[in-house]
Amino acid sequence: MPRSSEDGPGVWCDLNKKFSTNLTLALAEDETLASKAEVQARAIPAIAKIVGDKLELTDWQRDALCMFDEVFADIICSIYLSGCGLDKPAQMILRRALEVGIATVYVWDLPHVFWGWKDHDKDLKFNEMLEHFASPGFNSLVRSQNALYVGNELFDGSLARSLYRTLSNIVHGKMASFESVLPGRFQFNREDWRFHLEQVCAVENLLFRLWSNRFRCV
């Protein structure tokens, strides 16, 4: 059966043209928030290098440092996709960045969890990670290794749950989040662009606080 022109390579060319136009419009915005999101993303692999250079690491902790690079890549891709007008894929990847970023600290002191996740397809559950961070025993461990940490909360767990819930609604395809039914679907929208950048910065700031509290050298 012959394919229609809508099914052919022309579809991809048209999409590429639309998304390229969207990205040009996004980059033309006089937006300090975009620069902030990018600069903070670039700090993530730098943090991994500092941790690797300054601390004595076990084999699994050194293996786990690659997770920081994945968070960096996910955030950069998320910003790029949002600039192209692909807000829902951008938010899906941002959810992954949040989850992997939090997992960097969760697996740090739990070698059996790290190897189960790495080699045996064991899932890391978001709520379990947050409950672990809130436990008195874990906070005592962190205080014993980081004299600058004097609180009882590594980061804002309520905000982490709120961000994760919002981004998960996109992943799970709630009807309220459908893009294809909107009149301006897949077009650049200044408000959507700014909203996504604010989400990116919120995720980055959350992770920075987590890392600075857990690792005394950051």
Side-chain angles (χ1 to χ4, degrees), residues 103-167:
T104 59
V105 172
Y106 182 65
V107 303
W108 198 255
D109 306 295
L110 301 172
H112 67 291
V113 172
F114 173 77
W115 290 113
W117 169 71
K118 180 177 183 287
D119 287 350
H120 302 288
D121 197 30
K122 296 294 185 181
D123 292 331
L124 301 177
K125 298 180 180 179
F126 193 79
N127 283 330
E128 287 183 4
M129 291 193 287
L130 297 193
E131 289 170 3
H132 175 74
F133 294 156
S135 67
F138 182 71
N139 277 268
S140 293
L141 168 66
V142 175
R143 278 192 294 273
S144 74
Q145 297 185 354
N146 184 358
L148 297 178
Y149 178 60
V150 294
N152 294 302
E153 186 178 58
L154 266 72
F155 68 159
D156 190 339
S158 296
L159 177 59
R161 283 189 171 88
S162 177
L163 284 168
Y164 190 74
R165 187 182 308 112
T166 298
L167 297 171

Short mmCIF file of all heavy atoms in Angstrom, two decimals, residues 103-167:
data_model
loop_
_atom_site.label_atom_id
_atom_site.label_comp_id
_atom_site.label_asym_id
_atom_site.label_seq_id
_atom_site.Cartn_x
_atom_site.Cartn_y
_atom_site.Cartn_z
N ALA A 103 19.38 9.80 43.68
CA ALA A 103 19.95 8.46 43.85
C ALA A 103 21.46 8.49 44.04
O ALA A 103 22.03 7.57 44.63
CB ALA A 103 19.59 7.58 42.65
N THR A 104 22.14 9.55 43.56
CA THR A 104 23.59 9.62 43.75
C THR A 104 23.97 9.55 45.22
O THR A 104 24.98 8.93 45.57
CB THR A 104 24.16 10.94 43.16
OG1 THR A 104 23.53 12.06 43.79
CG2 THR A 104 23.97 11.02 41.66
N VAL A 105 23.17 10.18 46.07
CA VAL A 105 23.45 10.16 47.51
C VAL A 105 22.88 8.90 48.16
O VAL A 105 23.48 8.33 49.07
CB VAL A 105 22.88 11.42 48.18
CG1 VAL A 105 22.99 11.35 49.71
CG2 VAL A 105 23.62 12.66 47.67
N TYR A 106 21.75 8.44 47.67
CA TYR A 106 21.11 7.26 48.26
C TYR A 106 22.01 6.02 48.18
O TYR A 106 22.14 5.27 49.15
CB TYR A 106 19.79 7.00 47.54
CG TYR A 106 19.00 5.83 48.08
CD1 TYR A 106 18.47 5.86 49.37
CD2 TYR A 106 18.75 4.70 47.30
CE1 TYR A 106 17.73 4.80 49.88
CE2 TYR A 106 18.01 3.64 47.79
CZ TYR A 106 17.50 3.69 49.07
OH TYR A 106 16.77 2.64 49.56
N VAL A 107 22.65 5.81 47.02
CA VAL A 107 23.47 4.61 46.85
C VAL A 107 24.87 4.78 47.46
O VAL A 107 25.61 3.79 47.58
CB VAL A 107 23.61 4.22 45.36
CG1 VAL A 107 22.24 4.02 44.73
CG2 VAL A 107 24.42 5.26 44.58
N TRP A 108 25.22 6.00 47.85
CA TRP A 108 26.59 6.30 48.28
C TRP A 108 27.03 5.47 49.47
O TRP A 108 28.18 5.02 49.55
CB TRP A 108 26.70 7.78 48.59
CG TRP A 108 28.11 8.29 48.63
CD1 TRP A 108 28.86 8.61 49.75
CD2 TRP A 108 28.96 8.55 47.51
NE1 TRP A 108 30.10 9.04 49.39
CE2 TRP A 108 30.18 9.02 48.01
CE3 TRP A 108 28.79 8.43 46.13
CZ2 TRP A 108 31.26 9.37 47.18
CZ3 TRP A 108 29.83 8.79 45.30
CH2 TRP A 108 31.05 9.24 45.83
N ASP A 109 26.12 5.27 50.41
CA ASP A 109 26.44 4.55 51.64
C ASP A 109 25.82 3.16 51.68
O ASP A 109 25.88 2.48 52.71
CB ASP A 109 25.97 5.35 52.86
CG ASP A 109 26.52 6.76 52.86
OD1 ASP A 109 27.74 6.92 52.97
OD2 ASP A 109 25.73 7.71 52.72
N LEU A 110 25.22 2.73 50.58
CA LEU A 110 24.50 1.46 50.54
C LEU A 110 25.02 0.62 49.37
O LEU A 110 24.39 0.55 48.31
CB LEU A 110 23.00 1.70 50.39
CG LEU A 110 22.32 2.52 51.50
CD1 LEU A 110 20.88 2.85 51.12
CD2 LEU A 110 22.36 1.76 52.83
N PRO A 111 26.16 -0.04 49.55
CA PRO A 111 26.75 -0.79 48.43
C PRO A 111 25.83 -1.89 47.88
O PRO A 111 25.79 -2.12 46.67
CB PRO A 111 28.03 -1.38 49.01
CG PRO A 111 27.87 -1.30 50.50
CD PRO A 111 27.01 -0.11 50.75
N HIS A 112 25.08 -2.56 48.76
CA HIS A 112 24.20 -3.62 48.28
C HIS A 112 23.08 -3.06 47.40
O HIS A 112 22.66 -3.70 46.42
CB HIS A 112 23.60 -4.40 49.45
CG HIS A 112 22.66 -3.60 50.30
ND1 HIS A 112 23.06 -2.57 51.11
CD2 HIS A 112 21.30 -3.69 50.45
CE1 HIS A 112 22.02 -2.05 51.73
NE2 HIS A 112 20.93 -2.71 51.35
N VAL A 113 22.63 -1.85 47.72
CA VAL A 113 21.62 -1.19 46.90
C VAL A 113 22.22 -0.79 45.55
O VAL A 113 21.61 -0.98 44.50
CB VAL A 113 21.04 0.04 47.62
CG1 VAL A 113 20.13 0.83 46.68
CG2 VAL A 113 20.27 -0.40 48.86
N PHE A 114 23.44 -0.25 45.58
CA PHE A 114 24.09 0.15 44.34
C PHE A 114 24.27 -1.04 43.41
O PHE A 114 23.92 -0.98 42.22
CB PHE A 114 25.46 0.78 44.63
CG PHE A 114 26.25 1.06 43.38
CD1 PHE A 114 25.94 2.14 42.57
CD2 PHE A 114 27.27 0.21 42.99
CE1 PHE A 114 26.65 2.39 41.40
CE2 PHE A 114 28.00 0.45 41.82
CZ PHE A 114 27.68 1.54 41.03
N TRP A 115 24.81 -2.15 43.93
CA TRP A 115 25.05 -3.30 43.06
C TRP A 115 23.76 -3.97 42.62
O TRP A 115 23.68 -4.49 41.48
CB TRP A 115 25.96 -4.31 43.77
CG TRP A 115 27.37 -3.79 43.92
CD1 TRP A 115 28.00 -3.46 45.07
CD2 TRP A 115 28.30 -3.52 42.86
NE1 TRP A 115 29.27 -2.98 44.82
CE2 TRP A 115 29.48 -3.02 43.46
CE3 TRP A 115 28.24 -3.64 41.48
CZ2 TRP A 115 30.60 -2.65 42.73
CZ3 TRP A 115 29.36 -3.27 40.73
CH2 TRP A 115 30.52 -2.79 41.36
N GLY A 116 22.74 -3.96 43.46
CA GLY A 116 21.45 -4.48 43.04
C GLY A 116 20.86 -3.66 41.91
O GLY A 116 20.28 -4.21 40.96
N TRP A 117 21.00 -2.34 42.00
CA TRP A 117 20.51 -1.44 40.95
C TRP A 117 21.34 -1.56 39.69
O TRP A 117 20.80 -1.65 38.58
CB TRP A 117 20.54 -0.01 41.50
CG TRP A 117 20.32 1.07 40.49
CD1 TRP A 117 19.13 1.37 39.87
CD2 TRP A 117 21.28 2.01 40.00
NE1 TRP A 117 19.31 2.44 39.01
CE2 TRP A 117 20.62 2.85 39.08
CE3 TRP A 117 22.64 2.22 40.26
CZ2 TRP A 117 21.27 3.88 38.41
CZ3 TRP A 117 23.29 3.25 39.60
CH2 TRP A 117 22.61 4.06 38.68
N LYS A 118 22.67 -1.63 39.83
CA LYS A 118 23.57 -1.64 38.68
C LYS A 118 23.56 -2.98 37.94
O LYS A 118 23.51 -3.02 36.71
CB LYS A 118 25.00 -1.31 39.13
CG LYS A 118 26.03 -1.28 38.00
CD LYS A 118 27.39 -0.87 38.54
CE LYS A 118 28.43 -0.76 37.42
NZ LYS A 118 28.83 -2.09 36.91
N ASP A 119 23.60 -4.07 38.70
CA ASP A 119 23.82 -5.38 38.07
C ASP A 119 22.60 -6.29 38.06
O ASP A 119 22.59 -7.30 37.34
CB ASP A 119 24.96 -6.12 38.79
CG ASP A 119 26.33 -5.53 38.47
OD1 ASP A 119 26.40 -4.68 37.56
OD2 ASP A 119 27.31 -5.91 39.14
N HIS A 120 21.58 -5.97 38.86
CA HIS A 120 20.47 -6.92 39.00
C HIS A 120 19.10 -6.28 38.76
O HIS A 120 18.08 -6.81 39.22
CB HIS A 120 20.53 -7.57 40.39
CG HIS A 120 21.82 -8.27 40.66
ND1 HIS A 120 22.16 -9.46 40.06
CD2 HIS A 120 22.88 -7.93 41.44
CE1 HIS A 120 23.37 -9.84 40.47
NE2 HIS A 120 23.82 -8.92 41.31
N ASP A 121 19.08 -5.16 38.08
CA ASP A 121 17.83 -4.54 37.64
C ASP A 121 16.88 -4.21 38.79
O ASP A 121 15.66 -4.26 38.64
CB ASP A 121 17.12 -5.45 36.61
CG ASP A 121 16.07 -4.71 35.81
OD1 ASP A 121 16.24 -3.48 35.59
OD2 ASP A 121 15.06 -5.33 35.41
N LYS A 122 17.44 -3.87 39.96
CA LYS A 122 16.61 -3.47 41.09
C LYS A 122 16.26 -1.99 40.95
O LYS A 122 17.12 -1.16 40.67
CB LYS A 122 17.35 -3.70 42.41
CG LYS A 122 17.65 -5.17 42.70
CD LYS A 122 16.39 -5.98 42.94
CE LYS A 122 16.73 -7.40 43.34
NZ LYS A 122 15.52 -8.22 43.56
N ASP A 123 15.00 -1.68 41.15
CA ASP A 123 14.55 -0.30 41.02
C ASP A 123 14.85 0.50 42.29
O ASP A 123 14.81 -0.05 43.41
CB ASP A 123 13.05 -0.24 40.74
CG ASP A 123 12.69 -0.79 39.37
OD1 ASP A 123 13.54 -0.71 38.46
OD2 ASP A 123 11.56 -1.31 39.22
N LEU A 124 15.13 1.78 42.11
CA LEU A 124 15.27 2.70 43.23
C LEU A 124 13.96 3.47 43.36
O LEU A 124 13.54 4.13 42.41
CB LEU A 124 16.44 3.67 42.98
CG LEU A 124 17.80 3.01 42.78
CD1 LEU A 124 18.85 4.08 42.47
CD2 LEU A 124 18.21 2.20 44.00
N LYS A 125 13.33 3.38 44.49
CA LYS A 125 12.01 3.99 44.68
C LYS A 125 12.15 5.37 45.31
O LYS A 125 12.81 5.53 46.35
CB LYS A 125 11.13 3.07 45.54
CG LYS A 125 10.89 1.72 44.87
CD LYS A 125 10.02 0.82 45.71
CE LYS A 125 9.78 -0.53 45.01
NZ LYS A 125 8.96 -1.44 45.84
N PHE A 126 11.51 6.34 44.70
CA PHE A 126 11.69 7.73 45.08
C PHE A 126 11.32 7.97 46.53
O PHE A 126 12.09 8.58 47.29
CB PHE A 126 10.86 8.62 44.16
CG PHE A 126 11.19 10.08 44.26
CD1 PHE A 126 12.30 10.59 43.61
CD2 PHE A 126 10.40 10.94 45.00
CE1 PHE A 126 12.62 11.93 43.69
CE2 PHE A 126 10.71 12.28 45.09
CZ PHE A 126 11.82 12.78 44.43
N ASN A 127 10.17 7.52 46.95
CA ASN A 127 9.73 7.77 48.33
C ASN A 127 10.65 7.08 49.35
O ASN A 127 10.89 7.62 50.43
CB ASN A 127 8.29 7.31 48.53
CG ASN A 127 7.29 8.28 47.93
OD1 ASN A 127 7.54 9.48 47.86
ND2 ASN A 127 6.15 7.77 47.48
N GLU A 128 11.14 5.91 49.00
CA GLU A 128 12.07 5.22 49.91
C GLU A 128 13.36 6.00 50.07
O GLU A 128 13.93 6.05 51.16
CB GLU A 128 12.35 3.80 49.39
CG GLU A 128 11.20 2.84 49.57
CD GLU A 128 11.54 1.44 49.11
OE1 GLU A 128 12.72 1.19 48.73
OE2 GLU A 128 10.64 0.58 49.14
N MET A 129 13.82 6.62 48.99
CA MET A 129 15.04 7.42 49.08
C MET A 129 14.82 8.62 50.00
O MET A 129 15.67 8.94 50.84
CB MET A 129 15.48 7.87 47.68
CG MET A 129 15.98 6.73 46.81
SD MET A 129 16.84 7.27 45.30
CE MET A 129 15.46 7.86 44.30
N LEU A 130 13.67 9.28 49.86
CA LEU A 130 13.40 10.45 50.71
C LEU A 130 13.24 10.05 52.17
O LEU A 130 13.69 10.77 53.07
CB LEU A 130 12.15 11.18 50.22
CG LEU A 130 12.21 11.79 48.81
CD1 LEU A 130 11.02 12.73 48.60
CD2 LEU A 130 13.50 12.54 48.57
N GLU A 131 12.60 8.92 52.42
CA GLU A 131 12.45 8.44 53.79
C GLU A 131 13.81 8.10 54.40
O GLU A 131 14.06 8.36 55.59
CB GLU A 131 11.53 7.22 53.82
CG GLU A 131 10.06 7.56 53.53
CD GLU A 131 9.21 6.32 53.31
OE1 GLU A 131 9.76 5.19 53.45
OE2 GLU A 131 8.02 6.48 53.00
N HIS A 132 14.69 7.55 53.59
CA HIS A 132 16.05 7.25 54.05
C HIS A 132 16.78 8.52 54.47
O HIS A 132 17.42 8.56 55.52
CB HIS A 132 16.81 6.54 52.92
CG HIS A 132 18.25 6.27 53.22
ND1 HIS A 132 18.66 5.29 54.09
CD2 HIS A 132 19.38 6.86 52.74
CE1 HIS A 132 19.98 5.27 54.15
NE2 HIS A 132 20.45 6.22 53.35
N PHE A 133 16.65 9.58 53.67
CA PHE A 133 17.32 10.84 53.99
C PHE A 133 16.78 11.48 55.26
O PHE A 133 17.49 12.21 55.94
CB PHE A 133 17.17 11.84 52.83
CG PHE A 133 17.86 11.43 51.57
CD1 PHE A 133 17.44 11.92 50.35
CD2 PHE A 133 18.93 10.54 51.58
CE1 PHE A 133 18.08 11.55 49.17
CE2 PHE A 133 19.58 10.16 50.41
CZ PHE A 133 19.15 10.67 49.20
N ALA A 134 15.51 11.23 55.56
CA ALA A 134 14.88 11.85 56.73
C ALA A 134 15.10 11.05 58.01
O ALA A 134 14.75 11.54 59.09
CB ALA A 134 13.38 12.00 56.48
N SER A 135 15.70 9.87 57.92
CA SER A 135 15.86 9.03 59.10
C SER A 135 16.90 9.61 60.06
O SER A 135 17.91 10.17 59.62
CB SER A 135 16.26 7.61 58.70
OG SER A 135 17.57 7.61 58.14
N PRO A 136 16.68 9.50 61.36
CA PRO A 136 17.63 10.04 62.34
C PRO A 136 19.03 9.43 62.20
O PRO A 136 20.03 10.13 62.33
CB PRO A 136 17.00 9.68 63.69
CG PRO A 136 15.54 9.52 63.40
CD PRO A 136 15.47 8.96 62.01
N GLY A 137 19.08 8.13 61.92
CA GLY A 137 20.37 7.47 61.80
C GLY A 137 21.19 8.01 60.64
O GLY A 137 22.40 8.24 60.77
N PHE A 138 20.53 8.25 59.51
CA PHE A 138 21.27 8.77 58.35
C PHE A 138 21.75 10.19 58.62
O PHE A 138 22.86 10.56 58.26
CB PHE A 138 20.39 8.73 57.10
CG PHE A 138 21.11 9.21 55.87
CD1 PHE A 138 22.10 8.45 55.29
CD2 PHE A 138 20.80 10.43 55.30
CE1 PHE A 138 22.78 8.89 54.15
CE2 PHE A 138 21.47 10.89 54.18
CZ PHE A 138 22.46 10.10 53.59
N ASN A 139 20.92 10.99 59.26
CA ASN A 139 21.33 12.35 59.57
C ASN A 139 22.49 12.37 60.56
O ASN A 139 23.38 13.23 60.46
CB ASN A 139 20.14 13.15 60.11
CG ASN A 139 19.26 13.70 59.00
OD1 ASN A 139 19.45 14.82 58.55
ND2 ASN A 139 18.30 12.91 58.55
N SER A 140 22.52 11.44 61.48
CA SER A 140 23.67 11.34 62.39
C SER A 140 24.93 10.96 61.62
O SER A 140 26.02 11.49 61.90
CB SER A 140 23.40 10.30 63.48
OG SER A 140 22.37 10.74 64.34
N LEU A 141 24.80 10.07 60.65
CA LEU A 141 25.94 9.70 59.81
C LEU A 141 26.49 10.92 59.07
O LEU A 141 27.70 11.16 59.06
CB LEU A 141 25.53 8.63 58.81
CG LEU A 141 26.52 8.34 57.68
CD1 LEU A 141 27.80 7.71 58.23
CD2 LEU A 141 25.91 7.43 56.62
N VAL A 142 25.60 11.69 58.49
CA VAL A 142 26.04 12.86 57.72
C VAL A 142 26.72 13.88 58.64
O VAL A 142 27.77 14.43 58.30
CB VAL A 142 24.85 13.50 56.99
CG1 VAL A 142 25.28 14.79 56.29
CG2 VAL A 142 24.28 12.52 55.95
N ARG A 143 26.15 14.10 59.81
CA ARG A 143 26.77 15.05 60.76
C ARG A 143 28.16 14.58 61.19
O ARG A 143 29.07 15.39 61.41
CB ARG A 143 25.87 15.24 61.98
CG ARG A 143 24.74 16.24 61.75
CD ARG A 143 24.07 16.60 63.07
NE ARG A 143 23.39 15.48 63.66
CZ ARG A 143 22.13 15.13 63.40
NH1 ARG A 143 21.42 15.84 62.53
NH2 ARG A 143 21.58 14.09 63.98
N SER A 144 28.34 13.27 61.29
CA SER A 144 29.65 12.74 61.71
C SER A 144 30.71 12.93 60.63
O SER A 144 31.90 12.94 60.94
CB SER A 144 29.52 11.25 62.06
OG SER A 144 29.38 10.46 60.88
N GLN A 145 30.29 13.09 59.38
CA GLN A 145 31.23 13.21 58.27
C GLN A 145 31.31 14.62 57.69
O GLN A 145 32.21 14.92 56.92
CB GLN A 145 30.86 12.21 57.17
CG GLN A 145 30.97 10.77 57.62
CD GLN A 145 30.72 9.79 56.49
OE1 GLN A 145 30.36 10.16 55.38
NE2 GLN A 145 30.91 8.51 56.77
N ASN A 146 30.36 15.46 58.04
CA ASN A 146 30.34 16.83 57.52
C ASN A 146 30.04 17.78 58.67
O ASN A 146 28.89 17.95 59.07
CB ASN A 146 29.30 16.97 56.40
CG ASN A 146 29.31 18.36 55.77
OD1 ASN A 146 30.06 19.24 56.19
ND2 ASN A 146 28.47 18.55 54.77
N ALA A 147 31.08 18.40 59.19
CA ALA A 147 30.93 19.27 60.36
C ALA A 147 30.07 20.50 60.06
O ALA A 147 29.53 21.12 60.98
CB ALA A 147 32.30 19.71 60.87
N LEU A 148 29.93 20.84 58.78
CA LEU A 148 29.14 22.00 58.41
C LEU A 148 27.64 21.71 58.41
O LEU A 148 26.82 22.62 58.38
CB LEU A 148 29.55 22.51 57.02
CG LEU A 148 31.00 23.00 56.89
CD1 LEU A 148 31.29 23.42 55.46
CD2 LEU A 148 31.26 24.17 57.85
N TYR A 149 27.30 20.42 58.45
CA TYR A 149 25.88 20.05 58.45
C TYR A 149 25.38 19.99 59.89
O TYR A 149 25.79 19.14 60.67
CB TYR A 149 25.67 18.70 57.77
CG TYR A 149 24.24 18.22 57.78
CD1 TYR A 149 23.23 18.96 57.18
CD2 TYR A 149 23.88 17.03 58.40
CE1 TYR A 149 21.92 18.53 57.18
CE2 TYR A 149 22.56 16.58 58.41
CZ TYR A 149 21.59 17.35 57.80
OH TYR A 149 20.28 16.92 57.81
N VAL A 150 24.50 20.90 60.23
CA VAL A 150 24.02 20.97 61.61
C VAL A 150 22.50 20.78 61.71
O VAL A 150 21.94 20.84 62.79
CB VAL A 150 24.39 22.34 62.25
CG1 VAL A 150 25.90 22.45 62.37
CG2 VAL A 150 23.81 23.49 61.44
N GLY A 151 21.83 20.55 60.59
CA GLY A 151 20.38 20.44 60.61
C GLY A 151 19.90 19.02 60.73
O GLY A 151 20.66 18.09 61.05
N ASN A 152 18.64 18.83 60.46
CA ASN A 152 18.03 17.50 60.47
C ASN A 152 17.37 17.18 59.14
O ASN A 152 16.59 16.24 59.04
CB ASN A 152 16.98 17.41 61.59
CG ASN A 152 17.60 17.50 62.97
OD1 ASN A 152 18.46 16.69 63.32
ND2 ASN A 152 17.19 18.48 63.75
N GLU A 153 17.67 17.97 58.13
CA GLU A 153 17.06 17.77 56.82
C GLU A 153 18.09 18.09 55.74
O GLU A 153 18.56 19.23 55.64
CB GLU A 153 15.83 18.67 56.67
CG GLU A 153 15.04 18.42 55.40
CD GLU A 153 13.80 19.29 55.32
OE1 GLU A 153 13.96 20.54 55.35
OE2 GLU A 153 12.70 18.74 55.19
N LEU A 154 18.45 17.09 54.94
CA LEU A 154 19.46 17.30 53.91
C LEU A 154 18.99 18.27 52.84
O LEU A 154 19.79 19.01 52.28
CB LEU A 154 19.84 15.97 53.24
CG LEU A 154 21.07 15.28 53.83
CD1 LEU A 154 20.75 14.70 55.20
CD2 LEU A 154 21.58 14.20 52.90
N PHE A 155 17.69 18.23 52.56
CA PHE A 155 17.12 19.15 51.57
C PHE A 155 15.63 19.20 51.79
O PHE A 155 15.11 18.59 52.72
CB PHE A 155 17.48 18.74 50.15
CG PHE A 155 16.85 17.45 49.67
CD1 PHE A 155 16.74 17.20 48.31
CD2 PHE A 155 16.37 16.50 50.54
CE1 PHE A 155 16.15 16.03 47.84
CE2 PHE A 155 15.79 15.34 50.08
CZ PHE A 155 15.69 15.10 48.73
N ASP A 156 14.94 19.98 50.99
CA ASP A 156 13.50 20.17 51.15
C ASP A 156 12.75 18.98 50.57
O ASP A 156 12.48 18.93 49.37
CB ASP A 156 13.08 21.48 50.46
CG ASP A 156 11.64 21.87 50.79
OD1 ASP A 156 10.87 20.99 51.20
OD2 ASP A 156 11.31 23.06 50.63
N GLY A 157 12.43 18.02 51.43
CA GLY A 157 11.74 16.82 50.97
C GLY A 157 10.35 17.10 50.42
O GLY A 157 9.91 16.45 49.48
N SER A 158 9.66 18.07 51.00
CA SER A 158 8.32 18.42 50.52
C SER A 158 8.38 18.96 49.10
O SER A 158 7.55 18.62 48.24
CB SER A 158 7.67 19.45 51.45
OG SER A 158 7.47 18.92 52.73
N LEU A 159 9.36 19.81 48.83
CA LEU A 159 9.53 20.34 47.48
C LEU A 159 9.91 19.24 46.51
O LEU A 159 9.41 19.20 45.38
CB LEU A 159 10.60 21.44 47.48
CG LEU A 159 10.94 22.04 46.11
CD1 LEU A 159 9.70 22.65 45.46
CD2 LEU A 159 12.06 23.07 46.23
N ALA A 160 10.76 18.33 46.94
CA ALA A 160 11.16 17.21 46.08
C ALA A 160 9.94 16.38 45.68
O ALA A 160 9.78 16.01 44.51
CB ALA A 160 12.19 16.34 46.79
N ARG A 161 9.08 16.10 46.65
CA ARG A 161 7.88 15.32 46.35
C ARG A 161 6.94 16.08 45.42
O ARG A 161 6.34 15.50 44.52
CB ARG A 161 7.15 14.96 47.65
CG ARG A 161 7.79 13.84 48.43
CD ARG A 161 6.90 13.39 49.59
NE ARG A 161 7.42 12.18 50.20
CZ ARG A 161 8.32 12.15 51.17
NH1 ARG A 161 8.79 13.29 51.65
NH2 ARG A 161 8.75 11.01 51.67
N SER A 162 6.82 17.39 45.65
CA SER A 162 5.94 18.20 44.80
C SER A 162 6.43 18.23 43.36
O SER A 162 5.65 18.05 42.41
CB SER A 162 5.86 19.62 45.36
OG SER A 162 5.08 20.45 44.53
N LEU A 163 7.74 18.44 43.17
CA LEU A 163 8.31 18.45 41.82
C LEU A 163 8.14 17.09 41.16
O LEU A 163 7.76 17.00 39.98
CB LEU A 163 9.79 18.82 41.88
CG LEU A 163 10.13 20.29 42.12
CD1 LEU A 163 11.61 20.45 42.45
CD2 LEU A 163 9.77 21.13 40.89
N TYR A 164 8.41 16.05 41.91
CA TYR A 164 8.33 14.69 41.36
C TYR A 164 6.90 14.36 40.96
O TYR A 164 6.67 13.74 39.91
CB TYR A 164 8.84 13.70 42.39
CG TYR A 164 9.03 12.30 41.86
CD1 TYR A 164 10.10 11.99 41.04
CD2 TYR A 164 8.14 11.29 42.20
CE1 TYR A 164 10.28 10.71 40.55
CE2 TYR A 164 8.31 10.00 41.72
CZ TYR A 164 9.39 9.71 40.90
OH TYR A 164 9.55 8.43 40.42
N ARG A 165 5.93 14.77 41.78
CA ARG A 165 4.53 14.50 41.47
C ARG A 165 4.10 15.23 40.20
O ARG A 165 3.44 14.67 39.33
CB ARG A 165 3.64 14.93 42.65
CG ARG A 165 2.17 14.54 42.50
CD ARG A 165 1.35 15.04 43.67
NE ARG A 165 1.93 14.64 44.94
CZ ARG A 165 2.47 15.48 45.82
NH1 ARG A 165 2.50 16.79 45.56
NH2 ARG A 165 2.97 15.05 46.96
N THR A 166 4.50 16.51 40.09
CA THR A 166 4.15 17.30 38.90
C THR A 166 4.75 16.68 37.64
O THR A 166 4.06 16.54 36.61
CB THR A 166 4.65 18.74 39.06
OG1 THR A 166 4.01 19.33 40.19
CG2 THR A 166 4.32 19.57 37.82
N LEU A 167 6.02 16.33 37.70
CA LEU A 167 6.69 15.75 36.54
C LEU A 167 6.17 14.35 36.24
O LEU A 167 6.11 13.95 35.07
CB LEU A 167 8.20 15.73 36.77
CG LEU A 167 8.84 17.12 36.93
CD1 LEU A 167 10.30 16.99 37.37
CD2 LEU A 167 8.76 17.92 35.63
#
